[in-house]
Amino acid sequence: MPDFFILSATERVVSVTPWLASQTPAKWIWYQPRKGEDSLQTSMFEVGSADMEMEEQYRLEEEASSLGLRPMSSDIESGWDDDDADGWDDLSDCDGEIQLLRDEEIRDGLVPDACTLEEATAYRQRLHEIGKAAFVEETIIRETITAKKLCTAFGIAPPAFLEGAPDEAYHSLLAIALSREFSRRPKLPQYNTIDDAVRLLHESKNIIVLTGAGISTSLGIPDFRSKDTGLYSKLAHLGLSDPQEVFDIHVFKEDPSIFFSIAKDILPMEKKWSPTHGFIRLLQDKGKLLTNYTQNIDNIEANAGVSPEKIVQCHGSFATATCVKCQFKVAGEAIFGEVREGNIPYCTACKDRIAAEGLKSQGLKRKRSSNGQQKDRKVSDSSDEDDYEIPTPGVMKPDITFFGEDLPDEFGQRLLHHDRELADLVIVIGTSLKVAPVAEVPGVIPRNVPQIYISRTPVTHTEFDIDLLGDCDVVVSELSRRAGWDLQHHMIPDDEKVDITPVEGYESRHVFKVVGA
Ligand SMILES: [Zn+2]
């Protein structure tokens, strides 16, 4: 029985119905079967943007069967006759029809025939205690509750298209609900307070720090992947249907000018860093930093002195660039001039080759100098005598990861085969964890490893043990102060006083504010 709900991925994406994905971004582990077991699916995508594929539907059915639940299709075969109910296809087609329930809705009794919140909580705990198979045995097989009602305990409302169907018709849905809950990391009850957080900092020796755009915004670097803020607002004039297309590899290959019209705005300029980068460096200096997984491509961690061996740039960086045609690689600086001008940088290797081919076809038959440079056969072949198409050099693409591209191998390798075993604390800073597969990191770490979240607003799709809310520079400077650590940074005033207030109703949620700010 897998610990995670496994959805395999198709060639370059994602496979879950939009409704499910939009609700559960951090709970799915993506596997790429061709790469063998135990590898994170590493193609980058914004969670919630693709359709379920047949392959995944079969997997869901298998999952249901293995739990002793009956897949929907068997109900159809057994004569359950309903035009609307077309088995698994419905789950992918009926986007709006399956409704996910928030705990507040369950608490307020807004769903007829649903579990109470107390019952729901008890069922969830029980599932985590005994596992999926035993849980199904205890409930559905012993008929202590209907599948239809049990779905509500896990936040799935009975869909209208199943109304009037036999209870078995809800089994597949329940399998999804259980897997969804089971892959959710339960909060560790023993960690709640600021003191707990400080103690964890003191005691931990192998800390994973997962960072996002929020740690660079205080330096004026736009949060360019989030939709409603930052760079995207500058993109209206480009006439894209979705501003995210700027970072879509297919769009880039079709028209690189779109990307290069904004690339100068995200190109790292000065050697500066924020107090949060300084905090990561401090963890390194104290021998506590296992790995900083950063989603940022600004390479600012390096400016702060975080050593390259401690950083995984999950989405690549501008440090190098590669020709889309011949894969010729250069240092990032080599194209920065063109990029800053807003021009498209072209490959010099391609240019040289084209020039050489040009000379050849003019009958000059000049031999290549004997420096032994390897030539790309395909490119050479394409310019034979009958081909009048003017050969063009390839575009140099900065080695940042675009949507639809694979993440650097190092990401999954290091996380799954090294860090997962060693980590004793996870600190997530300045990211809303919306982009997979980085968003899956908290779910991959063993569940007994405490996790702290530092950002302006809490996330709802992943449960952290302690949420420290506010400006992340302020949070880390106060944490350091309380830990008795000296986090020096010109952006932190010497006399800074920080107020911490608890969030009502949450034992483990705290808001940090600079006094007088
Ligand atoms: Zn090239």
Side-chain angles (χ1 to χ4, degrees):
M1 185 82 48
D3 280 346
F4 301 106
F5 191 43
I6 297 172
L7 294 179
S8 77
T10 51
E11 216 191 324
R12 63 182 176 85
V13 242
V14 212
S15 337
V16 68
T17 57
W19 61 266
L20 207 54
S22 65
Q23 298 296 324
T24 61
K27 298 174 198 71
W28 309 88
I29 302 302
W30 308 92
Y31 274 78
Q32 198 163 30
R34 274 163 307 185
K35 283 190 180 170
E37 42 96 43
D38 222 24
S39 79
L40 267 183
Q41 204 285 329
T42 53
S43 185
M44 189 170 93
F45 58 92
E46 192 193 33
V47 177
S49 59
D51 292 321
M52 182 183 273
E53 304 286 335
M54 283 308 288
E55 203 181 330
E56 278 66 55
Q57 296 180 28
Y58 290 130
R59 276 174 183 272
L60 285 170
E61 291 203 41
E62 272 171 31
E63 165 98 15
S65 299
S66 73
L67 288 173
L69 297 171
R70 294 174 63 194
M72 254 185 221
S73 47
S74 65
D75 296 309
I76 294 158
E77 279 159 357
S78 68
W80 172 45
D81 199 291
D82 185 335
D83 283 349
D84 287 340
D86 195 19
W88 284 101
D89 291 341
D90 275 82
L91 290 180
S92 55
D93 294 341
C94 62
D95 292 357
E97 289 188 60
I98 291 177
Q99 192 201 342
L100 286 137
L101 302 168
R102 282 176 292 120
D103 280 357
E104 292 76 32
E105 294 173 278
I106 298 173
R107 183 193 61 204
D108 299 343
L110 299 177
V111 192
D113 306 321
C115 293
T116 64
L117 189 55
E118 289 70 32
E119 287 170 334
T121 309
Y123 278 125
R124 292 172 200 173
Q125 277 173 0
R126 188 69 183 149
L127 172 66
H128 285 289
E129 274 164 31
I130 62 176
K132 284 185 274 187
F135 183 81
V136 168
E137 165 69 31
E138 201 171 274
T139 53
I140 300 302
I141 309 228
R142 287 194 209 151
E143 296 185 3
T144 60
I145 184 173
T146 62
K148 183 183 182 183
K149 186 173 181 182
L150 196 50
C151 281
T152 65
F154 301 103
I156 292 187
F161 72 92
L162 285 178
E163 197 50 51
D167 198 52
E168 285 78 8
Y170 294 89
H171 282 189
S172 298
L173 200 57
L174 180 63
I176 294 177
L178 295 183
S179 297
R180 186 169 163 260
E181 173 63 31
F182 197 69
S183 62
R184 190 196 303 264
R185 173 189 182 273
K187 177 183 163 6
L188 301 173
Q190 66 269 39
Y191 305 110
N192 297 293
T193 65
I194 309 292
D195 287 346
D196 292 336
V198 170
R199 190 164 40 81
L200 284 170
L201 284 178
H202 276 301
E203 290 172 0
S204 304
K205 295 184 176 71
N206 288 301
I207 304 176
I208 286 182
V209 180
L210 178 60
T211 50
I215 74 163
S216 293
T217 44
S218 65
L219 302 172
I221 292 164
D223 175 3
F224 67 90
R225 279 198 219 268
S226 64
K227 270 186 177 153
D228 304 315
T229 56
L231 202 64
Y232 280 128
S233 57
K234 295 184 184 177
L235 300 176
H237 66 281
L238 292 172
L240 300 172
S241 61
D242 178 347
Q244 201 144 285
E245 289 177 2
V246 170
F247 299 102
D248 184 310
I249 189 60
H250 307 287
V251 171
F252 181 87
K253 285 182 173 165
E254 216 155 87
D255 183 2
S257 71
I258 294 174
F259 170 76
F260 286 109
S261 68
I262 57 97
K264 57 180 180 297
D265 296 323
I266 54 173
L267 199 60
M269 300 289 272
E270 315 148 53
K271 297 268 180 201
K272 54 187 179 180
W273 66 89
S274 72
T276 306
H277 294 99
F279 175 72
I280 298 166
R281 163 72 193 265
L282 188 67
L283 292 177
Q284 173 183 286
D285 291 348
K286 295 197 173 292
K288 292 174 178 291
L289 181 64
L290 179 60
T291 304
N292 176 197
Y293 290 89
T294 179
Q295 300 174 87
N296 301 339
I297 54 171
D298 51 33
N299 206 27
I300 289 175
E301 299 81 14
N303 296 351
V306 181
S307 108
E309 303 87 69
K310 293 286 179 189
I311 304 172
V312 174
Q313 287 173 313
C314 304
H315 296 164
S317 82
F318 279 96
T320 53
T322 305
C323 170
V324 295
K325 264 191 187 163
C326 74
Q327 317 307 320
F328 182 65
K329 217 180 242 307
V330 298
E333 286 83 14
I335 64 164
F336 284 177
E338 294 276 28
V339 173
R340 290 217 170 89
E341 303 271 301
N343 297 332
I344 300 175
Y346 287 101
C347 171
T348 51
C350 280
K351 281 181 188 166
D352 289 350
R353 187 163 44 241
I354 290 164
E357 297 295 334
L359 289 176
K360 228 196 272 175
S361 66
Q362 282 165 30
L364 293 177
K365 288 190 179 167
R366 207 171 74 175
K367 269 194 162 178
R368 282 293 298 172
S369 57
S370 56
N371 62 0
Q373 262 189 325
Q374 282 223 328
K375 291 293 143 196
D376 187 324
R377 276 263 144 237
K378 268 185 276 175
V379 174
S380 310
D381 290 349
S382 72
S383 58
D384 61 34
E385 249 102 23
D386 298 333
D387 189 357
Y388 289 106
E389 205 177 302
I390 300 164
T392 51
V395 174
M396 296 304 293
K397 178 187 159 296
D399 290 334
I400 57 177
T401 312
F402 278 44
F403 289 104
E405 281 193 303
D406 284 352
L407 264 69
D409 279 352
E410 195 194 357
F411 167 72
Q413 283 300 321
R414 178 150 168 169
L415 179 65
L416 294 171
H417 301 297
H418 186 258
D419 289 1
R420 184 162 63 176
E421 297 298 312
L422 293 172
D424 54 9
L425 176 64
V426 175
I427 309 178
V428 176
I429 316 178
T431 169
S432 51
L433 290 177
K434 276 187 187 143
V435 177
V438 174
E440 321 295 343
V441 173
V444 168
I445 305 300
R447 292 177 179 191
N448 61 337
V449 175
Q451 304 202 8
I452 296 175
Y453 183 72
I454 301 174
S455 199
R456 282 179 195 277
T457 43
V459 288
T460 51
H461 58 267
T462 304
E463 202 160 5
F464 290 93
D465 301 312
I466 311 176
D467 291 311
L468 307 176
L469 307 179
D471 186 310
C472 53
D473 290 341
V474 172
V475 175
V476 299
S477 64
E478 180 63 15
L479 278 183
S480 302
R481 218 169 277 133
R482 292 184 180 222
W485 294 350
D486 192 20
L487 177 62
Q488 295 266 346
H489 195 285
H490 67 92
M491 286 163 70
I492 308 173
D494 287 339
D495 56 348
E496 186 180 74
K497 290 253 178 326
V498 176
D499 229 12
I500 305 177
T501 47
V503 177
E504 215 188 311
Y506 295 89
E507 203 187 349
S508 61
R509 215 169 255 190
H510 315 273
V511 176
F512 287 59
K513 254 203 186 105
V514 173
V515 176

